[in-house]
Amino acid sequence: MDAKEISKAVIKRLPRYYRYLGELMEEKVERISSNDLSKKMHVTASQIRQDLNNFGGFGQQGYGYNVEYLYTEIGKILGLDTIHPMIILGAGNLGQALANYGDFEKRGFRLVGIFDINPVLEGISVRGIEIRMINSLPEFIRENQVEIAILTLPKNKAKEMAKVLIDNGIKAIWNFAHTDLDAPEDVIVENVHLSESLMALSYNLSQYRNEHKENKE
Amino acid sequence: MDAKEISKAVIKRLPRYYRYLGELMEEKVERISSNDLSKKMHVTASQIRQDLNNFGGFGQQGYGYNVEYLYTEIGKILGLDTIHPMIILGAGNLGQALANYGDFEKRGFRLVGIFDINPVLEGISVRGIEIRMINSLPEFIRENQVEIAILTLPKNKAKEMAKVLIDNGIKAIWNFAHTDLDAPEDVIVENVHLSESLMALSYNLSQYRNEHKENKE
């Protein structure tokens, strides 16, 4: 299986397939046709068939997809079959909320450390994990073979600290800081810009309001 | 100005322009050419010119863009020039983190209420705002003219409670629940599926690892 030529659009949709298949498993559904899956997910059946064909196609004519098998295989493609030791850098509200959000653990993302630059936070525990200072970061990353860092520092500290993370071997940054990071090509940055998402919502709300007003006039 | 025909791709980029222009203002930059802005944002200058031309074009040949003017105008397009009363439904870790995140207030998103369905949380205050129970929601939405709700409930409660929000007049839901909501066309849903973002990161990390391994072999 050569997954390298798969388009970004397909990859973006994979976690959604994974979520729906997980729900089907919870409902004890063993197999599903692309048509039924299509109705559930509000995408066309041909899109589903095309997407899954990228990975060799998991369906059988007249049988549909085996839910558990497909769930497991997509999980492998997404790298969820291995344990990912992960740290959080930034133990403020958002960092602590993410630390307390146990759902990631179920998918192999194991939070092993929380770091901050504010000495006031040193030694406080979140979900049994002690907040450490940045000076112990290099050794910690090495010893725990940490590959993923969640960055929840304010934007004025984020770029500088991202550099520290990368220099110490972090391979992927889940960036919640309200800024773009400068990372070399071999470091993966996945941005969650919450403010931008809220602005998109606000834009759509304004548009709706304007249209509504025009229709009234 | 007719903003209705603007493509989704352009709209997605607007908050990013807004962020960069805000940073330029903090740095006391008064005007900037599309070339300089292009270098800063790592997009082409022609893309910038095209995007901004959708709104009538704000630049002047040989002068560039007036930073503050452009910032203000994009803010208006994004609906940031009005106050949006907002509630959070779901006062767990993520809900409380978002409540404590004061940055939204600066852009007109004013948190006026926090609600939950768990009676244990009733009366507890977050950033001075008391957590209320769902039975007081209808009256509260009406009295405070709330249009936006942040939904941070677990997925098994989210769909049902989204319906309650919509039935009581909420016009836009910022959905952090790990599920897709069924909303009528005139209700805006902006999803933040954190788990899916983390899976995309994990996928890219696996791909990188595989390629790296192949190169070594």
Side-chain angles (χ1 to χ4, degrees), chain B residues 1 4 58 63 81 92 106 160-161 178 193:
Chain B
M1 184 173 63
K4 268 181 279 179
F58 300 107
Y63 174 85
D81 55 339
K106 279 189 263 167
E160 186 192 336
M161 287 300 131
H178 193 45
H193 289 318

Side-chain angles (χ1 to χ4, degrees), chain A residues 25-128:
Chain A
M25 276 173 65
E26 282 170 21
E27 295 161 13
K28 312 278 181 218
V29 176
E30 285 181 14
R31 60 177 177 162
I32 191 164
S33 67
S34 48
N35 279 328
D36 288 347
L37 190 57
S38 137
K39 276 176 214 145
K40 241 182 131 65
M41 295 184 63
H42 301 288
V43 290
T44 64
S46 82
Q47 164 120 82
I48 292 177
R49 284 191 292 266
Q50 258 181 42
D51 281 354
L52 299 180
N53 275 339
N54 277 301
F55 305 99
F58 300 107
Q60 247 176 287
Q61 197 81 40
Y63 174 86
Y65 297 103
N66 177 315
V67 172
E68 190 177 350
Y69 177 71
L70 189 53
Y71 178 82
T72 309
E73 290 303 308
I74 292 181
K76 282 185 202 165
I77 294 164
L78 290 170
L80 306 178
D81 55 338
T82 49
I83 300 292
H84 299 285
M86 188 168 79
I87 57 169
I88 291 175
L89 176 47
N93 286 309
L94 186 58
Q96 293 200 21
L98 292 170
N100 277 312
Y101 188 61
D103 265 24
F104 303 139
E105 303 271 331
K106 280 190 262 169
R107 301 199 177 81
F109 300 97
R110 187 166 295 163
L111 184 65
V112 293
I114 307 175
F115 291 82
D116 205 288
I117 47 179
N118 182 357
V120 172
L121 295 169
E122 186 166 10
I124 294 173
S125 278
V126 183
R127 199 155 60 86

